Every structure is written in structure tokens, then in C-alpha cells.
Amino acid sequence: MKLFIRVICLLLSAAVAYAQWGRLTGTVYDSERSPIVGATVKLPQIMRGTVTRSDGTFVIEKILPGTYRVEISAIGYDPSVLTVTVTPDRTERLGVLLRQSSIEASAVEVTATRRLQEQSDTRTSVITVDPREAKYKAGGIEDVFRTLQNLPGVTAPSDFSSQLIVRGSGPDQNLILLDNIELFNPYRLYGFISLFNPETVSSITLLTGGFPAQYTDRLSAVLDVRNRDGFTGNGYFAGKLNVSITNANIVTEGALPFWNGTWLLSTRRTYYDLIVGPIVRATGAVDGDVAFPNFRDLQLKLTMQPAQGHKLSANVLTSRDNTEFTSGVNRQSADSISLVDRSYNDAYGIAWQWTPSQRFVTNVGLSYYANYGANSFGGVGGSALLNSNPNSGTLSQSEFKRLQDSLRQAGVDVPTLFSVRGETGFRFQKTSLKVDNIWQLDSIHMLEFGLQQDWLYTGVVAYLDFDPRLKALRAANPTAPPLPESLQDGINYFRSGIYAQDRWRALDRLTLTLGTRFDYFALIGKSYIAPRISASYALTPQTTLRAAWGVYYQSPGYEKLFDQQVFLDLTGDNVSSLRAERAIHNIIGIEHQFNQQWLFRIESYYKGFDDLILPKVVQGTVWKVEKIPGLPDSVYRTRDGWTAPSATLGDSLTTIPANSATGTSYGIELFLQKFPNAGNKGFYGWIAYSFAFANRYRDGLVIPFNFDRRHTLSIVGGYRISEKLDLSVTFTYGSGFPWTYPVGLRPRIVQVKDTTTGQMTANIDTDWRGIIFDVDRGGLANINQGRLPDYHRLDVRVTTYTDWFGWKWSWYLDIINVYNRQNVVGIFYRINRETLQMIERRSTMLPILPTIGFSVTF
């Protein structure tokens, strides 16, 4: 009997061994065509199943030929049941649409599986964001970056910027990827919003520290954004239209007729310029063609699966920012400006994913990216400084002409306005080849390794002509970055890197990731090795302890200066003598899931910076004057009360780069999140709090980092009022950023060319009222020693949903800064020429700003 059973088993084994398997793959979407993460896909007849990944896809391997019932379900959605026939040596592909169980459109649909890391995932400081949070978050302006600014460890420079300040580092130290393509300038409208379209994004992952070895050439953080594949639930065509009072966004998508392919095409354009331009032109404020700040973009993604185990994708991104206007001759103000500014972003990428077995995956990507532009500008200004009333603003043209006429009749020198003109241009381009491999060696080791080769060109052209009085004003402010008068430079170079890391399950509860990478930066001719290690330990099934340590390097480059807002001359010996900037990350944190609805995380970090690149300080000529003692106060308003300007040695900032600074940033972050209930009912949102320090050290000085914010609190939440109405609220608080306050006044010293000798001479600047004084902000030791007022803002959004003509509509009212808080972005000063007192003027951020709009899915 035993022999008979063994024979039967052998025969069955042989039959299975020679069977030709089938394979089932697909993507699960919601009604807004966003992928559903963590959905369950089951074949109950054979008791097989899986869950969808971060992009909504799933794979079930080795299925015997036959007809099967497929059950798909997810929390908050109505289940779906399909029938599929599996045939030998073929892959059956499904596109599954799940409808939400309460209504078919919702604000922020987040399930617990979307945010929780596996306990074996050793990465620290990982934050994932549902793309729809960027769309529906109050005050987010439907922008990905502005949603991230309310997460722990992240803040914004101001209301006007979508840049990310992460854990005491500058925005130039963030690596930003779109479908694995590095972007140098991911902004629109001068940084007001980002280029990422929340309607096309499938996943948003922000690593705020301790990121693994596959990422390179940045010191602070990694933002990895992936666009989704096209939606095929409705066949070959589907679409969505989003309209607000400032812009329109159209998304179309569908299936390709070959290779189980999909396509996704989106385009956006602001039309603020089309509305405002004709109005201001009619008033005479501007002349000629007008194009107030506007942008347009187009994105295309094609995805194909030509054979089992092979996936091809192609990405295209092209965009244009444009501003053109010239002050009209009939304008009210005496000041005028002319500006023509155009910039472009183009990205093209091809990616091939090959899965030869369940244990090995290769991703090969070839991409080209270019960011380029040019601008010219000119104008005159400074009429406010000629106003007899120090509390008033700029002079009108008629007031300025009357002032000139009266002074001319009195035989006094007639004042003129400051003049400025210039032209700049830039081109940053990169061709990149990347290969990433994942090899599951066994149940204990998972090996990741790869290489990256980048060929770069960075070129800049600049010609600047400033009025001598403007130069004097800049010289009085130690925080004013140096600028070249002229420059033309282009550099071709390359970056090479390889990496390897092993995720090792050392114990049942302990997982380690040991990795390192080698990089060569041809621009500076130096190579670096960057080891990294991270660990996770499962204290309980609900509680995970994680820690990470790593070394990170960042090479110099013109492409990084856009975010840095500082110009450095990287020509010749200036760059070859530089070293790459370095940071060392130390991170430890604990995460606890109370239940399926509540998650808490606390994390602390310490970052040390070395070889930071700043403008070089040299001993230069500094002009000084001294009061002549014992004279009446009225005399000090004239040249007779001061000595002649004398040249002395002093610190002078240049455009030459130097590894002249170090730094530290450290802090602790708390994050509490409430996920929505099934059907998106009830309250959902998060509270994030950060307590942090960030300093820079140079020349024996301790200088608070520009965005050193001691306390940051964000409360983001939503509540389902009814099945057709959602309310979301965002409250943000931040203690004041560092600020350089004035230490007093000093006479303005201008350098002019002597018409006889041709030599530059220094004189105290005067007008008909006497000496012109500038605000003195001290030297390097006074930089950022003060603080701006605290920041806080409340935003509210109401969204309602309807079904008209068989289409799904959502309508919203979003109010930014509900109680109209006057948050200060900067403090400026004018001088009362009679009393020599400084008159403070505060520049504020966004006032209360309501926005309305709608979306329709067809």
C-alpha cells in the first residue's frame, strides 16, 4: 500500500513538473483612477492570493490552466468578482475598478496599509503620501510639495515657495526624482508650485534622512515620485478635467491596442496672465504684449508588456514658464521695470523591467533631462527713498517731475532713480544610464546592487549692470550674496557610481541593511566611498525600533545653485580645488501601531556637515568714514560732519567657492496619525511636531542656518460631514526664522570713475537734503542673530460631490489663511532724514485667499 501511494505521488509530481503554467497580473484602481495599495486579490478555488503593491499592481505566478473566479477587495471599497481563463505559457492581465462603498468620490482615502512599513524594512524617516492628499488638502493648492511641507521635519521657506526645507538643510541638498529621473528645477511660477501633477502621480515617498545606498549626490533627503500607468477600466479612452480660477488641468488615458499597453496624457496651463494682462494694459500700467507669470506643461507615459517578465515604459515631460511685461509710459508710478523671462524643462526616459524569475528583478533606465532659459531685465527705481514723508511709498510720475523741476529752479542737483539692467541665461542637461538589480538570495538575504553613469553639461551666461548706489546698498548688507558683473562658462563632465547593499534577516526580529557606494565626480576629479547601515527590530508585532547611520556626499555644480540662491563661479581652478560636501546622519526612532486606525512615531536625528561650500571671504578694500567729534547734530547731516572716505582692509565676499564651513542639525520629531474608517467615514488626519536646531560654523563664528526653526507644529485633518460633503482643515505653526537686524546707520559711500584720471574714487553720497544714509546690518558676526515673528496659518477646504450626466463631479472652496494672519517674510527699513531714525516696514506673506474650482471624471 505504501509503495502504491509513493508511485501515485511520483506520477502527480511528474505531471505538475511538466505542466505549462499560466500567470495573472493586473492593476487595481479607484474611481479617480488612482492605484489602490493593499487591495486583496484571491483565487478561492485554489486558495491562492496576493495584495497590490504601491503602484496598485499584483502578480500571481504558476497557475494551472483553467477558468477561475477572481475576488478583489479593499477596505472602504465595494468588492469586485471577475472570471478569468488562464492558458498555458501566457500572462492574463486585468484592469480592475473598485468603487468606494459610501460614495464614488472622496477627499482623502487612506488605509492603514498605505502608510505602514513592514517591520523588516530597515529604512528610517520614510514618509509616504497618498497623491489625493495633495489634491484635497486644505491650503495645499493641489500641489505635492505643499502637502509635504506639513510633514515632520519638513518646512517651507515662505508662503510663496514650494521648496522643501528638510531637517536643517537647504533645498539644494534634496534629491528629487520623477520616475527615476533626477530633476534640477522641479518648480513652476518662480517656485510657487511644483511641476508634479497630483492627478497623474501614483506614489510619493519622502526619505528625510538615512536613505539607502542607491541614492547619491545629495546630503539631506530624497523625494521619489512615480507617475501611474494609464487607466484601462473604461477601455481605450477616459478623461478628467480640473478647473480653478487660476488654471486648468486635463488628463486623458486608456489602453493601447498592442502589448497589453496603456497610455496617459496630461496637460496643464495657468490662465491668470490671460485675465490680468488685458486689464493692466488697459490702465496704461504696462505697454506692449503682456505675459504675467504663467506656465504650461505636457506629460505622456506609455506602458507596455510585450512578453512575460518584461515591462517597458516611456516618459515625456515638457514645460514652459514665461513672463513678459514692460511698464507703460502712462503708468502711475515713477519707478518702472521691463522683464522678459522664459525657462523650460524637458525630460525623456525609457525604462525596461526584466523579471527572469521570482527572485531576481532588473530595472534599466535611460533618460535625458534639460532645464534651460534666458531672461533680460532693466528699469529704474528707488523713488520711495526721495519721498519727504518716510512713511509713504513710491512717488508717482507727476510727483517726481515736480520734485525735479523745483530743485532745478533752485539750482540744486536733480536726483535720478536707481538704474539696473542685465541679461542672464543657463542650460543644465544630463543624460543618464541607471541599472538597479534586486536579488532575493534566500529567505535571509536580499541583495540590491547597481550602477549609474551621468553625462552633464552646465552652462551659465550673465551680464549685470547695477547703479553704484545699488552696489552700496548691497555692500551694507552682509547677507546679500555676491554677484558677477559678467560671466560666460560651460562645463562638460560626468558622474559615475556603483552601489551594493544586503538586507539581512539576522534574527527573527532583527533585520540589518549593510551597504556602501562608490562615486567619482569628474568636475572636481575626486572619488568617495560612502558606507551606510540601517536596522529594524520588532519589539512587538505592533512596535518597531529603527536606526540608521550613513555618510553622504554632494558635489558642486551650477545645477544646484538654483535652489541655493547663491551664485558661485565654478570655472578653472575655482572648482578643481574643491572637495565634495559631506554629511553624516545618525537616526533612531520607534513606531507603534495602536490599532488599524492609529499610528504613532517618534524619531531623533543628528547630522554633522563638513566641507560646506560658501562664497570665499577675502581681505578686500572697505571704505570707512568717521564722525568729526564736537559738532552740532545738524552738521552730521552734511559732509562737513564726517571724514573723507578712507580705504581699510576688511572682509569681502566673492563669487569664488570655498570649503569654508561646517554645520550641525539635530532634533526630535513626533508624528501621530489617524486613518479613516471603512468607507472613509469619520475623522482622519495627522499631527506632526518638530523641535530642532540647525547651525553653520565659519571663521570662528556660529551662524544660525537661514531656516533654523525651533518649533514646528502641523495639524492636518478632515471629516466626512455627509456622504456628499467633506471638510478638511490645515493649521501650521512655526517659530520665527533667523533674521539679520540692523546695528545702526552709516553714510552711503559710492565709487565713481573720475572723468579726468579714469580712476575709481570713493565719495559720501548726498542729495539736496544732505548725506544719504544706509542701514548698517553689521558684518559676518551679525548674520542671523535676530528672529522674525512666529508664523501661524489656518486653511479650510470644503468639497462636495455630485453625479451629473453620468459623470462624477467634485466642487470645492479652499480658503488660505482664514483669519488673515500677517505673517512676516522680511523686515525692511527706511531712514527719516530729519530725525535719522529707522522706519520699519514689514513684508508679509499670503493674505486671506479664497479659491474655487471643480473636477469632472468622464
Side-chain angles (χ1 to χ4, degrees):
M1 185 65 181
K2 292 182 179 179
L3 179 60
F4 176 76
I5 294 175
R6 290 179 182 177
V7 171
I8 294 298
C9 291
L10 287 173
L11 290 174
L12 290 174
S13 300
V16 171
Y18 285 99
Q20 292 180 308
W21 306 102
R23 187 169 182 260
L24 180 63
T25 69
T27 307
V28 181
Y29 303 91
D30 64 12
S31 58
E32 294 196 354
R33 307 198 182 110
S34 295
I36 298 177
V37 185
T40 301
V41 182
K42 294 181 181 179
L43 301 177
Q45 294 161 262
I46 57 174
M47 293 184 292
R48 296 275 303 280
T50 186
V51 294
T52 55
R53 294 172 289 199
S54 59
D55 58 357
T57 61
F58 65 88
V59 178
I60 301 178
E61 302 275 3
K62 294 185 177 181
I63 306 172
L64 285 171
T67 300
Y68 295 92
R69 173 188 172 93
V70 185
E71 297 177 354
I72 305 99
S73 61
I75 297 175
Y77 297 88
D78 292 328
S80 178
V81 178
L82 303 173
T83 300
V84 63
T85 300
V86 177
T87 56
D89 288 334
R90 290 196 58 182
T91 299
E92 304 299 330
R93 294 178 174 87
L94 300 176
V96 182
L97 172 66
L98 295 186
R99 300 189 180 278
Q100 294 165 8
S101 52
S102 55
I103 61 171
E104 294 184 354
S106 71
V108 181
E109 168 67 22
V110 181
T111 62
T113 55
R114 297 192 179 192
R115 295 301 174 80
L116 296 179
Q117 291 176 254
E118 295 181 1
Q119 289 190 298
S120 60
D121 186 348
T122 64
R123 295 176 303 167
T124 58
S125 312
V126 178
I127 304 173
T128 59
V129 175
D130 189 305
R132 283 172 296 176
E133 287 178 359
K135 178 174 174 59
Y136 291 100
K137 173 183 167 292
I141 318 180
E142 299 196 354
D143 183 67
V144 170
F145 278 23
R146 289 183 178 271
T147 300
L148 297 173
Q149 289 171 347
N150 288 105
L151 293 170
V154 187
T155 190
S158 72
D159 286 353
F160 307 114
S161 176
S162 63
Q163 291 177 313
L164 304 178
I165 307 301
V166 181
R167 289 182 171 177
S169 296
D172 62 301
Q173 297 174 348
N174 301 325
L175 175 62
I176 298 174
L177 303 170
L178 175 62
D179 285 333
N180 220 21
I181 301 174
E182 178 186 1
L183 304 180
F184 299 146
N185 178 13
Y187 309 105
R188 295 290 179 269
L189 300 179
Y190 299 97
F192 189 73
I193 60 174
S194 71
L195 64 79
F196 299 110
N197 187 343
E199 293 291 350
T200 64
V201 168
S202 67
S203 65
I204 306 166
T205 302
L206 178 64
L207 307 173
T208 58
F211 42 92
Q214 60 262 43
Y215 303 110
T216 183
D217 204 21
R218 290 299 189 278
L219 297 184
S220 175
V222 175
L223 176 61
D224 192 348
V225 179
R226 302 298 174 104
N227 272 339
R228 61 183 176 84
D229 296 339
F231 172 73
T232 59
N234 291 342
Y236 290 101
F237 182 83
K240 189 169 188 177
L241 171 66
N242 299 273
V243 177
S244 71
I245 62 175
T246 59
N247 66 84
N249 177 14
I250 301 175
V251 180
T252 58
E253 54 195 314
L256 294 173
F258 55 88
W259 285 355
N260 297 293
T262 65
W263 62 274
L264 174 67
L265 177 66
S266 70
T267 182
R268 293 185 294 174
R269 194 207 194 278
T270 59
Y271 43 77
Y272 172 81
D273 58 309
L274 303 178
I275 299 173
V276 177
I279 296 174
V280 296
R281 187 166 54 243
T283 65
V286 297
D287 277 341
D289 294 333
V290 179
F292 279 85
N294 64 90
F295 84 87
R296 65 193 71 178
D297 68 9
L298 182 145
Q299 295 188 57
L300 171 66
K301 183 173 184 179
L302 304 177
T303 305
M304 294 157 284
Q305 300 182 41
Q308 183 171 333
H310 297 269
K311 181 178 180 179
L312 297 175
S313 60
N315 289 277
V316 175
L317 165 66
T318 180
S319 69
R320 171 183 173 178
D321 282 66
N322 184 37
T323 300
E324 297 178 46
F325 59 86
T326 300
S327 299
V329 295
N330 298 320
R331 67 188 183 278
Q332 175 71 20
S333 172
D335 299 350
S336 69
I337 188 171
S338 174
L339 175 65
V340 177
D341 187 8
R342 298 185 182 95
S343 63
Y344 305 84
N345 269 283
D346 296 324
Y348 309 93
I350 299 175
W352 169 46
Q353 183 183 90
W354 178 40
T355 310
S357 72
Q358 295 184 24
R359 293 180 176 271
F360 196 92
V361 178
T362 294
N363 289 281
V364 180
L366 178 64
S367 64
Y368 170 82
Y369 172 69
N371 174 217
Y372 53 98
N375 70 68
S376 60
F377 56 91
V380 294
S383 68
L385 301 178
L386 302 176
N387 204 320
S388 58
N389 182 354
N391 294 307
S392 299
T394 59
L395 294 175
S396 68
Q397 289 196 79
S398 58
E399 291 171 333
F400 182 56
K401 188 177 184 303
R402 283 197 300 270
L403 174 63
Q404 288 181 312
D405 290 342
S406 63
L407 294 175
R408 190 177 291 112
Q409 293 174 3
V412 178
D413 289 340
V414 176
T416 59
L417 300 180
F418 297 150
S419 65
V420 59
R421 63 190 180 96
E423 296 180 1
T424 65
F426 66 95
R427 184 176 185 88
F428 309 141
Q429 65 185 44
K430 179 173 70 74
T431 302
S432 180
L433 173 66
K434 298 180 70 174
V435 181
D436 298 294
N437 304 282
I438 302 175
W439 185 9
Q440 185 72 55
L441 295 175
D442 50 36
S443 60
I444 297 177
H445 295 276
M446 186 177 75
L447 183 64
E448 296 179 68
F449 59 96
L451 60 88
Q452 180 174 344
Q453 179 67 42
D454 299 326
W455 296 270
L456 297 100
Y457 170 80
T458 59
V460 293
V461 177
Y463 169 74
L464 304 176
D465 183 12
F466 290 106
D467 187 290
R469 289 167 293 174
L470 279 179
K471 293 181 180 179
L473 281 172
R474 291 177 57 84
N477 186 354
T479 64
L483 293 172
E485 294 189 359
S486 65
L487 177 72
Q488 184 170 350
D489 185 36
I491 308 171
N492 283 288
Y493 59 102
F494 65 88
R495 301 182 304 196
S496 304
I498 57 174
Y499 74 91
Q501 62 187 22
D502 178 21
R503 192 167 79 173
W504 169 35
R505 195 171 186 86
L507 300 170
D508 287 342
R509 295 187 179 185
L510 176 64
T511 304
L512 302 174
T513 298
L514 308 174
T516 189
R517 67 173 298 120
F518 170 85
D519 287 292
Y520 177 75
F521 303 126
L523 183 62
I524 57 177
K526 296 178 177 65
S527 57
Y528 297 90
I529 296 177
R532 301 171 192 180
I533 182 173
S534 58
S536 65
Y537 185 79
L539 297 173
T540 71
Q542 294 78 34
T543 308
T544 308
L545 176 67
R546 292 186 175 91
W549 174 90
V551 179
Y552 302 85
Y553 291 97
Q554 179 167 319
S555 65
Y558 283 128
E559 76 280 1
K560 300 181 178 75
L561 299 183
F562 179 90
D563 274 320
Q564 199 173 354
Q565 300 295 305
V566 172
F567 182 83
L568 297 174
D569 185 351
L570 300 179
T571 59
D573 294 337
N574 289 347
V575 66
S576 60
S577 60
L578 290 176
R579 299 179 299 276
E581 298 177 308
R582 185 181 73 163
I584 298 178
H585 293 198
N586 303 271
I587 303 167
I588 187 169
I590 191 168
E591 181 179 272
H592 178 72
Q593 183 184 2
F594 294 100
N595 51 45
Q596 290 297 316
Q597 300 298 318
W598 289 93
L599 174 71
F600 175 75
R601 186 175 77 189
I602 181 171
E603 197 165 81
S604 64
Y605 65 92
Y606 181 93
K607 294 195 294 188
F609 300 94
D610 295 297
D611 291 329
L612 294 177
I613 299 174
L614 294 177
K616 186 177 182 179
V617 179
V618 299
Q619 289 292 298
T621 300
V622 177
W623 297 95
K624 290 187 176 182
V625 295
E626 301 289 342
K627 275 187 176 182
I628 299 174
L631 299 177
D633 289 344
S634 60
V635 179
Y636 293 122
R637 298 185 181 90
T638 69
R639 287 182 178 176
D640 295 336
W642 300 82
T643 63
S646 60
T648 61
L649 289 177
D651 290 338
S652 177
L653 286 177
T654 68
T655 59
I656 300 172
N659 296 107
S660 57
T662 60
T664 57
S665 67
Y666 51 93
I668 187 168
E669 300 165 359
L670 287 79
F671 185 55
L672 177 66
Q673 183 165 15
K674 168 65 168 60
F675 300 106
N677 299 322
N680 237 3
K681 298 178 180 178
F683 168 78
Y684 54 88
W686 70 79
I687 299 174
Y689 170 74
S690 301
F691 178 62
F693 295 81
N695 292 312
R696 301 293 185 262
Y697 312 100
R698 65 176 300 177
D699 303 320
L701 302 174
V702 179
I703 302 174
F705 179 58
N706 291 341
F707 305 108
D708 171 40
R709 173 165 275 175
R710 196 70 66 243
H711 303 278
T712 305
L713 173 68
S714 295
I715 302 174
V716 178
Y719 185 75
R720 171 62 52 79
I721 298 175
S722 68
E723 291 188 350
K724 294 186 178 295
L725 188 64
D726 258 310
L727 172 69
S728 60
V729 176
T730 300
F731 175 77
T732 306
Y733 167 83
S735 52
F737 284 139
W739 184 251
T740 303
Y741 281 98
V743 297
L745 306 177
R746 66 181 185 184
R748 179 186 300 164
I749 301 174
V750 295
Q751 297 185 60
V752 295
K753 183 178 289 188
D754 190 289
T755 56
T756 304
T757 65
Q759 301 294 318
M760 298 297 293
T761 62
N763 298 312
I764 295 177
D765 197 17
T766 60
D767 62 14
W768 78 98
R769 293 173 292 184
I771 288 179
I772 299 175
F773 290 89
D774 287 335
V775 173
D776 183 4
R777 295 182 183 266
L780 295 178
N782 193 49
I783 293 178
N784 288 349
Q785 298 305 307
R787 291 277 171 175
L788 292 174
D790 290 354
Y791 172 100
H792 51 88
R793 196 181 91 186
L794 175 67
D795 307 321
V796 176
R797 173 173 173 142
V798 178
T799 307
T800 185
Y801 309 97
T802 58
D803 286 321
W804 289 352
F805 314 112
W807 295 345
K808 302 172 183 63
W809 301 71
S810 65
W811 306 79
Y812 71 88
L813 170 65
D814 194 349
I815 305 176
I816 295 175
N817 197 4
V818 171
Y819 51 81
N820 200 28
R821 163 74 175 180
Q822 301 296 300
N823 288 303
V824 178
V825 69
I827 302 176
F828 305 93
Y829 300 88
R830 290 179 56 193
I831 299 169
N832 188 318
R833 298 287 291 274
E834 299 297 326
T835 64
L836 297 187
Q837 293 180 330
M838 289 184 291
I839 308 299
E840 181 181 283
R841 179 176 64 85
R842 298 190 171 196
S843 179
T844 57
M845 304 186 209
L846 291 177
I848 182 171
L849 182 63
T851 301
I852 60 174
F854 72 88
S855 297
V856 55
T857 302
F858 52 89

